Amino acid sequence: MPLRPHSLHDHACLIVHGPDQPGLVAAVTSLITRNKGNIVTLDQYSDNPEGGAFFQRVVFHRPDLAAAMPEIEADLDKTLGAQGMTWQLTDQSMPKRMAILASTSDHCLLELLWRHRRGELNVTIPMVISNHTNTAESVRSFGIPFFHIPSQGPDKSAAEAEIVKLLTGNVDFVVLARYMQILSDDFLTQVGVPVINIHHSFLPAFIGAGPYKKAKERGVKLIGATSHYVTKDLDEGPIIEQDVARVTHAMSATDLQARGAYVERAVLSRAVQWHAEDRVIRHGNQTIVFA
């Protein structure tokens, strides 16, 4: 059961990633112990114990964590750096800053805002940016700043530049809640933080406009959704989460779209939660998810 944000005081999350080798688990647990930490959860995975890659996520409690962080980080650098491992240590009481980009469809956007208000997502939301204005009133009713940046025509560079100005230094990751614009390589480079997308199918099926119409015409029996990290290769980034719903021949394309919206909302919410809680480790074009 994930810890709720209010119970994360003095809790740290340690992510370890690198070549698998004997003694890694002992090294990490001993390090936490000598730094007066008490392990709350520990998950690990090796893709091949003989020369493969090792992945570990550890959450531990340490009184006066903020003051102890520099000492713990120095110990991690000395202990794990010498073994060729990379590591990341985060204070779990510090929510990640999540910006949301949206277009006209509001189901994924409102799902995230609702879950955030209920305390289910350990994030802050400094802004929602949209290329349309139809969601402005709904977003502001949650007390979240709304910015309208139109994006029309083949040249999106001016709109992307405005978005980059808003995001730079203010967010830790970005979520595309059905933001129906293709982001350029330059945008992804300039933003410099992870970007999470929701795709309304099992990739790579039914890419492009009108996916549920295409699914109906194909006579599918399952529809699905995929949440993934955005890369320069369209819809081919590392997958975080997927799910499906069963459909029948009697359902119209509109029925498929309505059912698909439920799946999209759930899949994106889980992906956002797992990323915010440092449960996702990227490894090439794959992810290790300690859900």
Side-chain angles (χ1 to χ4, degrees):
M1 178 70 69
L3 293 171
R4 288 193 169 272
H6 66 265
S7 63
L8 292 172
H9 182 64
D10 283 340
H11 283 73
C13 179
L14 172 63
I15 298 294
V16 179
H17 175 206
D20 198 0
Q21 53 196 284
L24 285 176
V25 175
V28 171
T29 55
S30 297
L31 183 150
I32 293 172
T33 299
R34 67 173 171 265
N35 284 280
K36 302 178 183 178
N38 181 38
I39 294 175
V40 179
T41 63
L42 187 153
D43 295 285
Q44 64 191 57
Y45 169 71
S46 173
D47 61 8
N48 186 343
E50 297 182 2
F54 175 82
F55 311 86
Q56 187 178 59
R57 177 183 185 269
V58 188
V59 175
F60 62 93
H61 176 261
R62 203 286 190 187
D64 299 319
L65 174 66
M69 285 282 276
E71 184 177 348
I72 299 173
E73 290 172 339
D75 198 350
L76 284 165
D77 194 46
K78 178 181 178 181
T79 303
L80 298 181
Q83 300 183 57
M85 308 299 291
T86 60
W87 55 269
Q88 173 187 307
L89 183 68
T90 57
D91 183 341
Q92 294 287 279
S93 69
M94 301 288 291
K96 288 182 171 56
R97 301 166 298 172
M98 176 184 77
I100 304 175
L101 272 60
S103 291
T104 57
S105 296
D106 65 358
H107 57 285
C108 288
L109 167 63
L110 295 179
E111 182 78 14
L112 293 175
L113 297 180
W114 179 74
R115 288 178 182 265
H116 171 258
R117 186 166 67 182
R118 284 176 53 83
E120 296 180 10
L121 299 176
N122 187 28
V123 298
T124 61
I125 306 178
M127 69 189 77
V128 170
I129 302 171
S130 178
N131 57 334
H132 296 274
T133 59
N134 63 298
T135 59
E137 185 176 344
S138 296
V139 170
R140 289 169 179 150
S141 72
F142 284 87
I144 305 295
F146 178 91
F147 297 91
H148 175 227
I149 299 181
S151 181
Q152 299 176 346
D155 185 359
K156 314 288 187 183
S157 58
E160 288 190 347
E162 287 191 56
I163 296 173
V164 168
K165 286 181 181 179
L166 288 172
L167 298 179
T168 301
N170 294 317
V171 300
D172 299 304
F173 69 108
V174 177
V175 176
L176 309 182
R178 295 300 305 275
Y179 183 64
M180 305 305 291
Q181 301 289 312
I182 297 175
L183 302 177
S184 69
D185 295 353
D186 286 343
F187 176 87
L188 296 175
T189 299
Q190 292 178 52
V191 169
V193 297
V195 179
I196 297 174
N197 191 26
I198 182 68
H199 195 280
H200 38 230
S201 70
F202 263 174
L203 295 177
F206 308 121
I207 292 176
Y212 292 105
K213 182 176 182 294
K214 294 175 183 176
K216 173 63 177 178
E217 292 170 349
R218 185 63 179 83
V220 302
K221 306 306 179 189
L222 290 172
I223 58 174
T226 300
S227 185
H228 63 96
Y229 289 110
V230 178
T231 64
K232 63 182 181 64
D233 299 313
L234 181 64
D235 294 333
E236 294 186 13
I239 292 171
I240 306 171
E241 172 65 336
Q242 295 179 296
D243 206 348
V244 295
R246 184 164 291 280
V247 297
T248 75
H249 64 277
M251 300 175 70
S252 67
T254 300
D255 295 332
L256 299 187
Q257 185 172 1
R259 180 162 295 186
Y262 286 102
V263 184
E264 293 168 22
R265 288 158 51 187
V267 168
L268 182 59
S269 295
R270 289 197 293 266
V272 167
Q273 180 179 358
W274 295 340
H275 177 86
E277 295 175 356
D278 298 309
R279 295 179 178 274
V280 185
I281 304 175
R282 293 175 63 163
H283 180 53
N285 203 43
Q286 301 182 22
T287 61
I288 309 301
V289 182
F290 293 119

